[in-house]
Amino acid sequence: MAKSNLRKTRKAVEFGRLQWVALLVGLFHLGTAVHPLFAFDTTDPSLRVCTGVLGVVMARKWENARRFGIALVVGYGGLVLSQFAAPAEMEPVTLIYARTALSGLLIVVLSVRGAAPVGKGAK
């Protein structure tokens, strides 16, 4: 009897397209922290690790995945804008920041196009 009650209380996590994109962005950042894609990426990987962990954790809920996309646009977009505003030469790592800001923009656009998924656990 106890096993049947346990099965009823467990909820299956249903992932929507937005959550899958947030999860993939998070995993991509974790992967590039270990092995960078570009040779000019000599920065400390701690920012990519934090971004990756945040993406993986926040992908569990639709609302949090949307917030993750907004945080990427604001955070990494700000880093790109600060590089453009700097009087010296633009650093090559700006391309990496721009890539991340664009992935956040993709998450935000997906969240605007589709409404939150309606499931059994939705309120």
Side-chain angles (χ1 to χ4, degrees):
M1 200 91 10
K3 286 185 180 180
S4 64
N5 288 339
L6 180 64
R7 288 182 189 162
K8 289 180 184 178
T9 58
R10 256 189 226 168
K11 291 182 184 177
V13 177
E14 297 178 15
F15 269 54
R17 185 180 344 172
L18 177 73
Q19 292 167 285
W20 279 111
V21 172
L23 179 68
L24 290 175
V25 168
L27 291 174
F28 177 76
H29 275 275
L30 285 174
T32 56
V34 175
H35 183 71
L37 291 178
F38 302 109
F40 60 79
D41 186 14
T42 58
T43 59
D44 185 34
S46 61
L47 182 61
R48 288 189 304 274
V49 168
C50 291
T51 303
V53 168
L54 196 64
V56 169
V57 170
M58 292 185 83
R60 292 188 61 179
K61 287 183 146 184
W62 189 90
E63 297 85 11
N64 291 340
R66 182 171 189 256
R67 287 183 188 114
F68 175 66
I70 293 170
L72 289 180
V73 170
V74 171
Y76 282 96
L79 288 172
V80 170
L81 290 177
S82 70
Q83 289 292 321
F84 283 134
E89 279 187 26
M90 192 167 58
E91 296 179 21
V93 77
T94 306
L95 291 174
I96 296 168
Y97 296 155
R99 174 193 69 197
T100 306
L102 287 175
S103 64
L105 186 64
L106 172 69
I107 293 171
V108 170
V109 167
L110 285 176
S111 72
V112 170
R113 280 189 64 204
V118 178
K120 295 178 185 177
K123 293 181 181 180

